[in-house]
Amino acid sequence: MENTTYSYFPGCTLKNKAKDLDAYARVSAEVLGFALEEIPEWQCCGGVYPTAKDEVAQKLSSVRALAAAKDSGRELVTLCSACYNVLKQVNNDALNDENFALKANNYLAKDNVEYHGETNVVHFLEVLRDKVGWDKVKAAVKNPLTGKKIGAYYGCLLLRPASALKFDDPENPQILEDFIKAIGATPVIYAQRNECCGAYTMFDDPAIPQERTKKILGNASDMGAELLVTSCPLCKYNLIKNKGESGLDVIYFSELLAEALGVKEKALKLIKEEKIA
């Protein structure tokens, strides 16, 4: 899959608070033989998928992003769990809900845009698994993380609803554990790895994420994890804010990938020089 280029939707958070998630992934992609080309003039996906059946306007920015990828003839890659969830569900609506597709295209007709779910939305982890392959990832590793005991934290948004996302088994996912093995570390399986961290309830009642993250971190620590990896900026925020006595670090999976591939310092330099923004 050398020299493959994907359309790329970074999302808002990767342009400010999560620049490192973005930078580590970009430099790692170069090593692994693919490129991420940011789609032009993208807008926020909304951060949360609207569940109201008749809601159309809130989904239009996602439809525009999906249509831009369609026009480029490429699959659309994203890194943020929330962006992935929204884009994938909106794409599912455009493909399978004729009423939604009709209304959305009526809105977009003035821009000569028409979209019916043609774009394939993939997470960066899916590119590693399904396009690059774990064996090739492993072969590219220069600094294997041997001896590191790492817990995968999936949360909700990568896995549910499984009927639309089709990312992995929602009850027993393996993709992050396979990633951890590929970079030379040891995955730690713990019961809370695909439970919700509390997400946006932090704005309404901070006690909810405090309680949830305490269970997650405590469970992971009890099972021997030395750190957790995630792809969700909000999950990372909640887990770090409430890590308390567990003492577990929580980092983006892309940071570990860049470290294993020997390009972590390159990413940090790009962020410092603001060449990735």
Side-chain angles (χ1 to χ4, degrees):
M1 66 151 294
E2 293 184 0
N3 301 318
T4 301
T5 299
Y6 294 92
S7 290
Y8 176 47
F9 183 90
C12 304
T13 307
L14 274 70
K15 290 298 183 178
N16 45 74
K17 298 295 185 181
K19 285 185 178 181
D20 50 342
L21 172 58
D22 173 74
Y24 291 131
R26 286 181 189 255
V27 297
S28 296
E30 291 177 9
V31 174
L32 295 171
F34 65 99
L36 303 174
E37 186 173 296
E38 198 168 312
I39 59 175
E41 299 180 355
W42 57 269
Q43 298 170 306
C44 177
C45 70
V48 179
Y49 174 77
T51 56
K53 191 69 176 175
D54 60 351
E55 179 55 62
V56 177
Q58 278 187 265
K59 300 177 182 178
L60 292 180
S61 60
S62 293
V63 175
R64 290 190 178 98
L66 293 161
K70 171 195 168 186
D71 290 344
S72 74
R74 299 168 179 159
E75 294 179 290
L76 181 61
V77 172
T78 190
L79 278 153
C80 170
S81 298
C83 294
Y84 174 76
N85 185 282
V86 174
L87 288 168
K88 200 74 181 279
Q89 291 207 71
V90 171
N91 198 53
N92 185 64
D93 290 341
L95 183 63
N96 296 305
D97 186 334
E98 292 183 5
N99 185 53
F100 169 77
L102 175 64
K103 291 179 178 179
N105 283 307
N106 282 342
Y107 271 105
L108 301 176
K110 64 181 178 63
D111 299 319
N112 295 316
V113 174
E114 186 170 350
Y115 186 73
H116 296 277
E118 294 91 341
T119 297
N120 188 34
V121 181
V122 291
H123 192 275
F124 191 96
L125 283 164
E126 292 179 294
V127 176
L128 298 183
R129 179 188 65 192
D130 302 331
K131 310 296 183 178
V132 179
W134 298 126
D135 288 343
K136 289 184 179 179
V137 173
K138 185 175 181 179
V141 169
K142 292 184 177 180
N143 304 313
L145 304 183
T146 307
K148 285 279 190 181
K149 296 179 180 179
I150 302 171
Y153 181 66
Y154 292 90
C156 308
L157 298 176
L158 286 178
L159 300 170
R160 305 180 183 96
S163 59
L165 301 188
K166 300 176 182 177
F167 177 79
D168 206 340
D169 183 335
E171 299 303 325
N172 186 29
Q174 296 297 319
I175 190 169
L176 272 170
E177 283 78 13
D178 289 341
F179 163 75
I180 292 166
K181 292 176 186 176
I183 59 174
T186 302
V188 175
I189 305 296
Y190 62 105
Q192 293 283 321
R193 63 198 174 114
N194 56 352
E195 296 297 328
C196 180
C197 70
Y200 294 103
T201 61
M202 57 180 260
F203 295 113
D204 184 50
D205 184 357
I208 296 174
Q210 286 173 6
E211 180 181 354
R212 287 186 173 272
T213 53
K214 183 178 179 180
K215 289 180 180 178
I216 293 163
L217 292 162
N219 181 212
S221 180
D222 288 346
M223 296 305 292
E226 298 170 350
L227 61 89
L228 297 185
V229 291
T230 186
S231 72
C232 180
L234 182 57
C235 292
K236 183 184 178 187
Y237 173 84
N238 278 338
L239 288 165
I240 289 177
K241 182 177 177 62
N242 300 299
K243 71 178 183 178
E245 297 178 359
S246 75
L248 285 181
D249 285 331
V250 184
I251 64 176
Y252 293 123
F253 80 92
S254 59
E255 179 176 348
L256 281 189
L257 178 60
E259 181 179 346
L261 296 177
V263 292
K264 182 175 179 178
E265 293 305 316
K266 179 180 179 180
L268 291 172
K269 184 179 179 181
L270 290 172
I271 295 171
K272 185 177 181 180
E273 295 176 353
E274 296 187 347
K275 290 184 178 179
I276 289 182

